[in-house]
């Protein structure tokens, strides 16, 4: 009885529920655990690889339909590898109900553009009224490997700008392209220094393996200085970035000027970007003043350039 009283709660409606701050769910046992655990007190929820029925059961438990029900205390929700196609609306509803949520991992969940747009709307708008009310706790959002294209780029950029607490945005291994890099850069530029005007507090942006070219890199480089907060930028795995980066290129000037003004940047990832010796030279000469990590791996450099980099 003592153990039950310490580890369980009896909500109105009868029946004991398990109290646990860290809950791990699997597809085969998800329904049982959702029925047995007291979800309002769960802080960290690991629910990777859920099938559609398991996700529907979990989503139902996380959505507060009764205004008198206890407030959800959830801080972290990991749904990696779950099959969420066609179910993004429920994810967005959970976002609105879990106002304490800091980390949301939706990697490889088959959202596609429509799903990503619903998530972005859920971060910004209140469902019941339709009024703008940005989520004021979320710090980390991962949407990598979801088949996203430039169609969802504007919504993602707007959400990155509108959510004042968002610090890390992972969009790797999609097909977002230069168009999305441009709208994200514009959003960061409009936000201005976050500490001065309440703009986006984004510290880390991952657009690796997204079919970017030199144009996309130049747009992002131009935005880092005016934004004043971005500390880590990953555009690795975009092997067309190096094609237009040579001394005679207009992009070379834009990238150089942007990086020199990027006072906040501490980590720059340009791995496997098709950079030649000349392209690498441009970036090395324009290295941001506070850069601590400079990743140029898997580029076709000459041995002479490799030796120069390692000095």
């Amino acid at each position: 009885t003592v153990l039950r009283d310490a580890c369980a709660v009896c909500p109105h409606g009868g029946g004991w529920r398990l109290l646990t701050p860290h809950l791990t769910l699997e597809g085969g046992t998800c329904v049982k655990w959702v029925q047995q655990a007291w979800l309002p007190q769960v802080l960290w929820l690991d629910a990777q690889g859920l099938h559609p029925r398991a996700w529907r059961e979990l989503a139902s438990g996380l959505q507060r339909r009764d205004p008198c029900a206890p407030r959800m205390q959830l801080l972290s929700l990991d749904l990696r590898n779950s099959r969420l196609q066609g179910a993004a609306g429920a994810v967005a509803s959970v976002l609105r109900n879990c106002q304490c949520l800091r980390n949301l991992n939706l990697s490889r969940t088959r959202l596609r553009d429509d799903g990503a747009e619903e998530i972005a709307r859920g971060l910004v708008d209140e469902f019941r009224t339709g009024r703008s009310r940005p989520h004021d706790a979320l710090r980390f959002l991962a949407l990598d490997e979801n088949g996203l294209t430039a169609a969802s780029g504007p919504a993602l950029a707007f959400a990155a700008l509108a959510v004042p607490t968002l610090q890390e945005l992972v969009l790797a291994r999609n097909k977002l392209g230069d168009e999305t890099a441009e709208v994200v850069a514009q959003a960061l530029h409009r936000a201005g220094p976050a500490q001065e005007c309440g703009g986006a507090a984004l510290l880390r942006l991952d657009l690796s393996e997204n079919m970017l070219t030199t144009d996309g890199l130049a747009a992002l480089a131009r935005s880092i200085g005016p934004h004043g907060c971005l500390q880590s930028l990953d555009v690795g795995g975009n092997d067309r970035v190096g094609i237009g980066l040579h001394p005679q290129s207009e992009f070379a000037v834009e990238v150089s000027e942007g990086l020199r003004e990027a006072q906040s940047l501490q980590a720059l990832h340009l791995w496997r970007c098709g950079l030649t010796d000349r392209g690498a030279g441009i970036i090395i000469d324009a290295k941001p003043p506070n850069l601590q990590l400079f990743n140029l791996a898997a580029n076709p450099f000459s041995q002479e350039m490799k030796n120069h980099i390692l000095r």
Side-chain angles (χ1 to χ4, degrees):
T1 302
V2 173
L3 182 61
R4 184 188 67 181
D5 291 343
C7 301
V9 67
C10 184
H12 65 273
W16 289 95
R17 296 289 187 93
L18 178 68
L19 282 177
T20 175
H22 192 163
L23 181 61
T24 299
L25 301 177
E26 298 178 355
T29 59
C30 177
V31 174
K32 179 186 74 173
W33 277 107
V34 167
Q35 293 172 348
Q36 293 181 356
W38 183 231
L39 292 179
Q41 293 298 317
V42 174
L43 301 180
W44 301 279
L45 181 49
D46 187 342
Q48 299 182 37
L50 297 186
H51 53 72
R53 178 172 176 267
W55 162 244
R56 287 194 297 270
E57 186 72 22
L58 175 58
S60 178
L62 291 173
Q63 296 178 53
R64 289 176 63 204
R65 294 182 175 84
D66 182 357
C68 297
R71 184 184 181 192
M72 290 290 177
Q73 301 298 315
L74 191 65
L75 299 177
S76 177
L77 177 58
D78 190 342
L79 293 168
R80 276 178 290 180
N81 299 313
S82 295
R83 290 164 18 206
L84 302 183
Q85 62 270 38
V91 179
S93 181
V94 168
L95 266 173
R96 302 311 308 179
N97 289 324
C98 300
Q99 285 296 311
C100 297
L101 192 67
R102 297 181 181 180
N103 302 310
L104 178 60
N105 194 327
L106 297 171
S107 302
R108 300 180 295 279
T109 50
R110 312 183 191 185
L111 288 173
R112 305 293 187 264
D113 288 326
D114 290 346
E117 289 175 352
E118 283 202 68
I119 300 299
R121 284 194 296 271
L123 283 169
V124 176
D125 296 332
E126 190 175 51
F127 286 159
R128 294 183 179 87
T129 64
R131 292 179 298 184
S132 177
R133 186 190 170 197
H135 201 286
D136 58 2
L138 194 71
R139 299 179 183 178
F140 172 86
L141 175 61
L143 292 165
D144 47 308
E145 209 166 337
N146 269 296
L148 307 183
T149 71
S152 57
L156 294 172
F158 181 72
L161 171 65
V163 179
T165 55
L166 189 63
Q167 297 179 351
E168 298 183 63
L169 180 59
V170 181
L171 300 171
R173 295 183 295 281
N174 286 296
K175 298 179 181 179
L176 293 167
D178 289 339
E179 187 175 341
T180 296
E182 181 69 39
V183 294
V184 169
Q186 290 173 0
L188 293 175
H189 196 285
R190 287 196 303 271
Q195 64 272 29
E196 294 180 9
C197 66
L202 202 64
L203 301 180
R204 176 187 169 221
L205 175 63
D206 188 346
L207 279 167
S208 59
E209 297 183 286
N210 260 291
M211 302 175 67
L212 269 61
T213 70
T214 318
D215 195 358
L217 174 62
L220 292 167
R222 291 194 303 267
S223 71
I224 299 173
H227 180 246
C229 281
L230 196 70
Q231 296 178 3
S232 176
L233 175 64
D234 192 340
V235 289
N238 293 296
D239 52 14
R240 296 178 60 201
V241 163
I243 294 176
L245 200 59
H246 52 80
Q248 292 75 36
S249 165
E250 61 179 296
F251 295 126
V253 176
E254 294 179 3
V255 171
S256 295
E257 292 178 352
L259 291 180
R260 286 194 180 99
E261 295 175 2
Q263 298 284 333
S264 62
L265 199 65
Q266 299 177 17
L268 178 59
H269 300 268
L270 291 165
W271 50 273
R272 211 180 75 232
C273 280
L275 291 173
T276 62
D277 286 8
R278 291 187 300 175
I282 291 169
I283 292 176
I284 291 171
D285 290 343
K287 188 172 70 171
N290 296 310
L291 199 69
Q292 299 176 13
L293 176 60
F294 197 12
N295 185 351
L296 292 170
N299 283 294
F301 299 143
S302 67
Q303 189 59 49
E304 182 180 358
M305 175 55 71
K306 292 177 182 177
N307 293 338
H308 174 70
I309 293 171
L310 292 173
R311 284 184 199 138

